[in-house]
Each structure stands twice: as structure tokens, then as C-alpha cells.
Amino acid sequence: SSDLDRLCSHINEKIDIIKNTLSLRNCGRDPALTTVLDKIGNEIIAVHQLLNQLESEVQYHEQTNISLKELCDSLEEDFKDVEHLK
Amino acid sequence: TLKDDVNILLDKARLESQESIGFMKATKLLMK
Amino acid sequence: MEAEVDKLELMFQKADSDLDCIQYKLEYEIKINHPDSSGKKNPVTLLKELSAIKSRYQTLHARLSTAALEQKETKSRICATLNKTMTMIQELQKQSDLELSPLTEEEKAAAEHFK
């Protein structure tokens, strides 16, 4: 029955996409809708730029993790030296 | 909206980066 | 029974390809009626770009959460190691009566950071 559920959700998902696309069908005739579309287009560009910034932040975090791990390893070496000294 | 979510996550990521810089500086200082 | 299941499967496959065909025709019609003009994209392209940025956001969100978790673990390892190292150094100081230079203000602040 899970296969059948998955099949049904797959078909329903496609029907939803078609409904969305149908709603766009008449947008060329309605100037108000065209304006909305232009705004969406601009917003998408803005979100793309934000995602680029977010991506570089994520890369920075991943780089910081590497440095922190190196720092931790060297600190653990220091601890072993102090322990040996003791 | 998605744009607000991205902005919130971006601010959070930047804040955590600042905190990590401070943490690393403090660690290195004490290791000397 | 087997024949019934096969028949049902064929019906689902046909429904699936019919839906694909409808979607394709709709998109084609919209692209013809609203060709991409300067800086303005047709609605179908916008719809696709919208789902693309949503999934890119989810991917980046997941990567950031993973990185933040790793960072938290490494930081707590560093705190633990630093604290036990400093404790041991103080014990050594007592044992050897060796007077080390007192912590500078900056170092005290850093030590506080870890406490």
C-alpha cells in the first residue's frame, strides 16, 4: 500500500504543477499579473544574490571547522606534553 | 517568505562566524 | 489477479505520460505567448527558478546546520582540553614552587571566555 501511496502522491504532485502552470496561462493578458511576475523575477534575482552570500558563509564555516580541529589537535598535543612533564 | 528566511539564516551564520573568530583568538592566546 | 494488476499499472503509466504531455503543451504555449524579453522571463521559467532557489536554500541550510554542529563539538573538546591543561599547569606550579608570570588582562579575559 506504501507503493500505491507513493504512486498517488506522484500523480497528485504532477496535477498540482499543472494547476500552477494553468494559473499562469492567462497572465499575459492581465497587466496587473504581468507586473506581479516582473516583481517575482526581481525578487528571484535578489534571493539568488543572498544565496550566493549564504554559500560563502557556509564555506567559511566549513573552513573554520577545519582550523578549529587543527587547533584542538595541537592543544591535545600540548596537554600530553604537560601530562608527561607532570 | 523565502527571502526573509535566507536573510535570517545569513545573519545567524555571520554572527556565528564572529563568535568563532573570538573563540579561536582566545584559544590561541591561552596556548602561548 | 495478475492481469488486473498489470492493467492497473498500464493505466497509471498512461496517466503519468498524459500529465507530462499536458504539462509540456502548457509550458510550450506559455513560452510562445510570453517569450523571454529583455530582463523579463516567461512565467514557466520563473516557476522553475523558484523551485530551484528553494532547493538551493534547503541544501545550504542543511550544510550550515551540519557545520554548526561540528563546530559546537570541536569547541567543547577545546574547552575541556584547555581547562584540564590549565588545571594541570597550576598543580605543577604548586609542586615545583615555580612562580609563573601572572596572566595578563587579555589572558584572564580569554580564560573567562572558556569558563
Side-chain angles (χ1 to χ4, degrees):
Chain A
S1 71
S2 67
D3 289 349
L4 209 54
D5 290 344
R6 210 168 44 243
L7 201 54
C8 288
S9 60
H10 170 75
I11 296 280
N12 288 333
E13 200 175 296
K14 284 202 172 180
I15 292 170
D16 289 345
I17 291 173
I18 287 173
K19 281 181 186 167
N20 280 343
T21 314
L22 266 174
S23 63
L24 294 171
R25 201 181 193 185
N26 310 315
C27 66
R29 293 172 206 137
D30 177 348
L33 267 177
T34 314
T35 319
V36 168
L37 276 176
D38 295 346
K39 276 186 186 158
I40 291 173
N42 298 332
E43 285 293 288
I44 284 175
I45 294 166
V47 173
H48 261 305
Q49 285 155 2
L50 283 172
L51 285 172
N52 292 337
Q53 291 171 46
L54 185 61
E55 176 128 35
S56 42
E57 275 301 323
V58 171
Q59 284 162 358
Y60 180 79
H61 267 249
E62 288 163 348
Q63 190 49 52
T64 305
N65 274 355
I66 293 167
S67 318
L68 277 169
K69 281 197 177 102
E70 286 161 2
L71 204 55
C72 191
D73 294 344
S74 104
L75 198 60
E76 282 168 352
E77 285 308 309
D78 290 353
F79 176 69
K80 282 180 192 146
D81 295 347
V82 172
E83 207 170 29
H84 179 69
L85 203 57
K86 189 178 179 205
Chain B
T1 64
L2 180 64
K3 191 177 177 185
D4 299 337
D5 292 348
V6 176
N7 268 314
I8 290 165
L9 198 61
L10 193 52
D11 292 343
K12 181 170 171 264
R14 283 177 176 148
L15 213 60
E16 282 171 6
S17 300
Q18 290 308 316
E19 201 274 331
S20 298
I21 291 167
F23 183 92
M24 282 180 47
K25 271 184 188 160
T27 309
K28 286 176 179 167
L29 189 73
L30 286 174
M31 282 173 74
K32 277 181 195 165
Chain C
M1 176 64 176
E2 190 79 17
E4 285 306 307
V5 170
D6 290 347
K7 193 177 161 200
L8 200 62
E9 193 176 336
L10 278 175
M11 283 167 73
F12 266 112
Q13 278 171 3
K14 181 169 181 337
D16 198 38
S17 59
D18 287 351
L19 288 170
D20 286 340
C21 181
I22 294 168
Q23 178 65 21
Y24 175 78
K25 283 185 177 170
L26 260 176
E27 289 184 1
Y28 181 74
E29 180 194 307
I30 290 173
K31 279 178 183 168
I32 294 296
N33 295 343
H34 319 287
D36 282 354
S37 55
S38 59
K40 296 186 180 181
K41 291 179 180 161
N42 76 67
V44 173
T45 313
L46 288 181
L47 214 58
K48 289 188 188 312
E49 283 202 9
L50 261 177
S51 60
I53 55 176
K54 276 180 192 162
S55 60
R56 187 181 173 205
Y57 167 73
Q58 276 147 10
T59 307
L60 286 172
H61 196 164
R63 270 176 66 187
L64 191 65
S65 307
T66 308
L69 196 64
E70 271 180 34
Q71 207 166 101
K72 193 162 177 277
E73 283 160 9
T74 310
K75 282 177 180 173
S76 55
R77 262 179 61 201
I78 285 175
C79 286
T81 310
L82 253 181
N83 284 325
K84 65 182 181 181
T85 308
M86 288 169 79
T87 309
M88 194 167 280
I89 285 172
Q90 280 151 11
E91 283 168 17
L92 275 174
Q93 245 179 302
K94 281 180 201 146
Q95 277 175 13
S96 58
D97 275 340
L98 188 67
E99 260 318 294
L100 290 182
S101 53
L103 292 181
T104 64
E105 283 315 305
E106 221 185 357
E107 285 162 344
K108 276 182 195 153
E112 273 318 301
H113 189 102
F114 290 101
K115 282 195 185 100

